[in-house]
Amino acid sequence: APFVEVSKEVLSAGSDSKVVAERVFAMIIHPITVEEFYQEYYERKPLLVRRKNKCYYDDWMKMNHVRQLIDSDELDWTYEVDVTSYKGGKRETHNGEGVASSSEIWRRHKEEGCSVRLLRPQKRLDHICLMLSLLEEHWGSGAGANVYLTPANHQGFAPHWDDIEAFILQTEGSKRWRVYGPRNKQEEMPRFSSRNFDQSEVSDPILDTEVHAGDLLYFPRGFIHQAVSGVEKHSLHVTVSFGYRNSWFDYCKEVMEAALEEARKKEVRLRRSMPRDYLDYMGSMHGPSADARREGLTATAKALLTQALASISDSALDAGADARARTLLKERLPVSLAPEGQGQEEEDEEWGAAAEE
């Protein structure tokens, strides 16, 4: 699929970035429609799309891109590249320090059967940056990508869940994926990624399937997963992600801070100093107790918080959205610009018309 060609339409004068962004996302999940995805799968259950076109995601990543990145001898260990293994139920990372040597990466990969994870390829590959920046426009959230190269018949990571919505775009070879639903309500929609799990800690998978070149696999955050490459050939895929720290909790946290700030201006009790000795009876080291001082402070704090939250204003709600917008602007990838001179004539005409008015 011509992902890059479609993405570059946003560089044309007069293009609507939101329209182009939705087209790019629609191409990723095709033939599932955008509406169907958000109604049936998003944050609910995995989605597997099989295709007969093994070249469908070639625009995203191929081995020539991987070699370009690794052989540059410019990648920093841990920040831009990991070398990992999962053998005998043990997950290990074999990173060095400083700049990663390409010879060491390839040696670990070819001789020791390690997986190579390339982190943040959008920092060095313009076409990835362009496509992710458009997806950020569609999702209203920061977007990320990692690249995974795994030798045939190997696994690089233990079972775990992630804190993002994950789209697996398989570009070469195949992988057997096992995906498990959240184990309990507390693990649904997690804010943080999990530790590595032992096989005994996961039950039967809700999805056990082979993903081949050109196929798509999506699963929500909080779904435990693991994957092993096919026996005949290496596996290469890109994980495109979004949804990091972009929940109702994150928004409401900002709103609550704004509401408290408004209440501080109106309620003098919020501006008074805390009792000099409150740390003698408050805090986890003391825990619940019948101390009268603790009971009094607890009652006062709850009353002040209830009063502040009961009168949340529109301005506090907007301030929360503004705070989230500032966070997104800090996370967003650089805006893709047209090559110098492209579209300049049209822009000059528009500015000229506006100035004459």
Side-chain angles (χ1 to χ4, degrees):
F3 284 95
V4 174
E5 179 181 338
V6 171
S7 299
K8 286 183 177 179
E9 291 180 10
V10 77
L11 306 179
S12 302
S15 67
D16 187 329
S17 60
K18 286 188 175 295
V19 172
V20 179
E22 183 164 325
R23 284 185 62 195
V24 171
F25 180 61
M27 290 168 65
I28 289 177
I29 61 175
H30 178 79
I32 302 298
T33 66
V34 173
E35 181 180 6
E36 182 181 0
F37 173 79
Y38 288 119
Q39 289 183 350
E40 300 294 330
Y41 297 97
Y42 176 52
E43 293 188 335
R44 293 178 177 85
K45 61 184 180 181
L47 166 66
L48 174 65
V49 175
R50 295 199 182 280
R51 295 191 179 88
K52 296 180 180 179
N53 180 3
K54 66 180 181 179
C55 301
Y56 191 80
Y57 294 117
D58 280 8
D59 266 10
W60 283 87
M61 182 65 55
K62 293 293 288 182
M63 276 302 298
N64 62 299
H65 297 120
V66 175
R67 295 189 185 96
Q68 174 187 340
L69 292 172
I70 294 177
D71 293 345
S72 69
D73 285 314
E74 294 178 351
L75 303 181
D76 290 327
W77 283 116
T78 306
Y79 180 76
E80 293 181 288
V81 61
D82 289 326
V83 176
T84 69
S85 63
Y86 180 68
K87 299 177 181 179
K90 184 178 181 181
R91 156 78 158 84
E92 292 186 281
T93 300
H94 308 277
N95 291 357
E97 296 182 357
V99 178
S101 163
S102 59
S103 59
E104 176 66 8
I105 295 174
W106 290 122
R107 184 187 69 79
R108 292 276 191 180
H109 174 69
K110 296 177 180 179
E111 298 179 12
E112 300 181 12
C114 291
S115 288
V116 178
R117 175 168 62 179
L118 300 174
L119 300 93
R120 306 174 183 87
Q122 64 270 24
K123 299 288 186 181
R124 296 183 178 270
L125 297 176
D126 290 345
H127 73 285
I128 300 289
C129 183
L130 171 62
M131 292 186 286
L132 287 184
S133 66
L134 281 169
L135 290 172
E136 288 181 333
E137 179 83 1
H138 175 71
W139 286 323
S141 165
N146 287 336
V147 178
Y148 297 83
L149 174 64
T150 305
N153 200 30
H154 280 78
Q155 181 169 337
F157 296 86
H160 67 283
W161 76 60
D162 295 313
D163 54 3
I164 45 81
E165 305 297 304
F167 296 81
I168 311 300
L169 316 183
Q170 189 74 24
T171 63
E172 295 185 16
S174 66
K175 266 190 172 178
R176 177 194 176 190
W177 283 86
R178 282 171 284 178
V179 181
Y180 312 80
R183 300 180 301 176
N184 52 59
K185 288 292 184 180
Q186 289 71 33
E187 294 181 358
E188 292 182 10
M189 300 288 103
R191 184 168 174 78
F192 303 100
S193 294
S194 73
R195 60 178 173 83
N196 294 325
F197 293 114
D198 186 84
Q199 293 292 343
S200 62
E201 296 180 276
V202 296
S203 58
D204 294 332
I206 60 173
L207 181 65
D208 186 344
T209 187
E210 292 278 342
V211 176
H212 299 270
D215 292 348
L216 163 74
L217 174 62
Y218 157 80
F219 46 82
R221 59 191 184 278
F223 279 60
I224 299 172
H225 53 277
Q226 59 180 320
V228 59
S229 55
V231 297
E232 296 182 354
K233 182 182 179 181
H234 70 263
S235 167
L236 179 64
H237 79 264
V238 183
T239 297
V240 176
S241 63
F242 79 101
Y244 178 76
R245 306 286 192 275
N246 194 42
S247 66
W248 275 97
F249 168 82
D250 297 285
Y251 170 64
C252 290
K253 182 180 178 181
E254 301 288 358
V255 172
M256 291 174 68
E257 182 173 344
L260 280 170
E261 177 61 25
E262 288 184 351
R264 178 192 65 80
K265 298 175 182 178
K266 300 175 182 178
E267 176 57 69
V268 67
R269 289 184 298 169
L270 280 170
R271 303 197 296 272
R272 297 191 188 281
S273 298
M274 293 291 291
R276 290 182 296 105
D277 61 346
Y278 81 101
L279 292 180
D280 292 341
Y281 51 87
M282 297 299 298
S284 56
M285 67 177 291
H286 299 289
S289 71
D291 190 312
R293 297 173 300 173
R294 181 183 179 90
E295 292 177 355
L297 188 146
T298 299
T300 299
K302 288 182 177 179
L304 289 171
L305 287 170
T306 300
Q307 178 180 330
L309 297 180
S311 57
I312 294 178
S313 66
D314 285 348
S315 61
L317 294 168
D318 287 333
D322 291 341
R324 295 301 304 154
R326 288 192 294 271
T327 298
L328 176 59
L329 288 172
K330 292 177 182 177
E331 295 175 349
R332 285 287 308 262
L333 292 167
V335 178
S336 296
L337 300 176
E340 184 176 358
Q342 181 177 329
Q344 190 62 50
E345 182 178 348
E346 294 87 345
E347 290 181 2
D348 289 344
E349 290 178 355
E350 292 176 2
W351 277 106
E356 290 175 0
E357 289 179 358

